[in-house]
């Protein structure tokens, strides 16, 4: 009986976190696009916890999947992908567990998500020495803008301006394909929007740490993640990654 319930729990956990093992130095994460409940977990309700937000980043799971598909098309190889299928109102994967999970069931799923991201980043590090992590989000503050979040460049520590913002850089390439990035390449050292300046994922797995890789949070405005726009946005992201690697 105990074994049966453990197996059941294990299967719930794996169903709630979508993981693709890659063979490129690219990791794509999407913590806020899921809609599924976590069995055994209530909706989060402790509004006194720091950064308490439960809102869904609509279709960012689809944008992450489509980006992975376009990357595979461009490179002939797969990126690593970790997507939360569980809803943010049950667990927030872009917060430390102590803020993002309020029950044991939620903590297990949160841990599952982060074990997968850690494994992907470690895999990229050991095989390629370096790599890039894109943490995909959505925001409702400005439809036309993608807010860059790097903790004001902390999660991209040690990378040259040319590699980060030059015409051949990932960010430079998405901007030149018509995606409005803030801060712009021209004023790349301008302060990031404090609401979207890079959460737990880029902080944990970015170049702020020895074992990190170049990590950028991208907060997409609605224009870039309509059902119709997603393939085009994904294609641009893949093309920009191609130029970078
Ligand atoms: Zn988000």
């Amino acid at each position: 009986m105990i074994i049966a319930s453990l197996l059941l729990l294990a299967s719930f956990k794996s169903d709630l976190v979508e993981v693709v093992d890659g063979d490129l130095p690219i990791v794509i994460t999407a913590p806020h696009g899921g809609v599924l409940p976590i069995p055994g977990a209530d909706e989060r309700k402790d509004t006194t916890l720091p950064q308490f937000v439960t809102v869904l980043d609509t279709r960012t799971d689809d944008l992450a999947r489509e980006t992975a598909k376009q990357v595979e098309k461009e490179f002939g190889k797969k990126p690593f992908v970790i997507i939360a299928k569980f809803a943010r109102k049950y667990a927030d994967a872009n917060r430390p567990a102590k803020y993002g999970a309020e029950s044991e069931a939620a903590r297990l799923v949160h841990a599952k998500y982060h074990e997968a991201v850690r494994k992907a980043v470690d895999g990229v590090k050991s095989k390629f020495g370096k790599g890039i992590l894109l943490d995909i989000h959505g925001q409702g503050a400005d439809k036309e803008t993608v807010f860059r979040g790097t903790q004001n460049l902390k999660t991209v520590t040690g990378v040259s301006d040319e590699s980060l913002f030059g015409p051949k850089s990932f960010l430079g390439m998405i901007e030149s394909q018509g995606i409005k990035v803030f801060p712009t390449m021209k004023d790349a050292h301008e302060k990031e929007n404090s609401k979207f300046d890079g959460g737990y994922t880029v902080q944990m797995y970015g170049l702020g740490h020895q074992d990190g890789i170049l990590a950028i949070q991208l907060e997409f405005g609605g224009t870039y993640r309509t059902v119709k726009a997603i393939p085009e946005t994904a294609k641009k992201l893949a093309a920009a990654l191609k130029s970078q690697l």
Side-chain angles (χ1 to χ4, degrees):
M1 192 59 199
I2 290 173
I3 289 174
S5 24
L6 281 176
L7 282 174
L8 194 62
L9 190 59
S11 74
F12 277 141
K13 273 171 41 182
S14 56
D15 288 348
L16 291 171
V17 182
E18 188 173 321
V19 180
V20 178
D21 264 328
D23 36 29
L24 287 169
I26 299 171
V27 182
I28 299 168
T29 54
H32 292 158
V35 293
L36 299 176
I38 298 174
D42 292 329
E43 288 189 20
R44 294 159 54 224
K45 53 184 176 293
D46 189 352
T47 54
T48 64
L49 289 171
Q51 303 171 288
F52 182 89
V53 182
T54 57
V55 68
L56 165 77
D57 291 359
T58 309
R59 283 186 293 277
T60 49
D61 53 343
D62 291 339
L63 178 56
R65 272 182 211 113
E66 185 64 24
T67 302
K69 196 172 121 189
Q70 294 298 336
V71 165
E72 196 175 348
K73 226 174 174 177
E74 281 279 349
F75 291 81
K77 290 179 179 176
K78 285 180 200 290
F80 291 82
V81 183
I82 300 96
I83 295 172
K85 293 172 79 172
F86 55 89
R88 189 183 194 179
K89 60 184 172 186
Y90 296 97
D92 191 336
N94 202 32
R95 303 282 183 272
K98 61 179 174 179
Y99 302 152
E102 296 180 20
S103 65
E104 193 51 28
R107 269 188 289 277
L108 282 169
V109 174
H110 184 283
K112 171 96 189 166
Y113 181 92
H114 283 282
E115 274 160 26
V117 184
R118 182 78 266 165
K119 201 174 150 212
V121 171
D122 286 353
V124 165
K125 262 298 234 200
S126 66
K127 195 164 173 198
F128 303 97
K130 59 181 186 172
I132 181 166
L133 180 149
L134 301 179
D135 193 33
I136 308 285
H137 293 258
Q139 49 76 23
D142 185 341
K143 264 165 60 172
E144 304 295 329
T145 296
V146 177
F147 290 96
R148 177 198 85 199
T150 63
Q151 287 279 303
N152 290 303
L153 307 181
K154 205 172 157 198
T155 68
V156 296
T157 302
V159 181
S160 72
D161 268 24
E162 184 64 19
S163 304
L164 284 173
F165 314 121
K168 292 274 171 221
S169 68
F170 169 74
L171 289 168
M173 283 289 296
I174 65 173
E175 190 183 68
S176 69
Q177 293 176 97
I179 292 178
K180 204 177 129 200
V181 182
F182 180 87
T184 64
M185 297 316 114
K186 205 167 145 272
D187 290 310
H189 286 266
E190 190 179 342
K191 242 185 167 6
E192 291 169 348
N193 183 311
S194 61
K195 276 193 193 153
F196 311 117
D197 60 1
Y200 181 65
T201 304
V202 296
Q203 289 174 34
M204 279 295 288
Y205 306 104
L207 289 173
H209 298 282
Q210 282 263 310
D211 57 0
I213 58 176
L214 193 156
I216 303 173
Q217 180 172 315
L218 295 171
E219 290 269 1
F220 289 86
T223 300
Y224 302 104
R225 55 189 165 96
T226 63
V227 172
K228 202 168 163 227
I230 281 176
E232 195 58 31
T233 305
K235 235 178 251 177
K236 289 175 180 175
L237 294 175
L241 285 164
K242 181 83 176 178
S243 76
Q244 172 96 352
L245 296 186

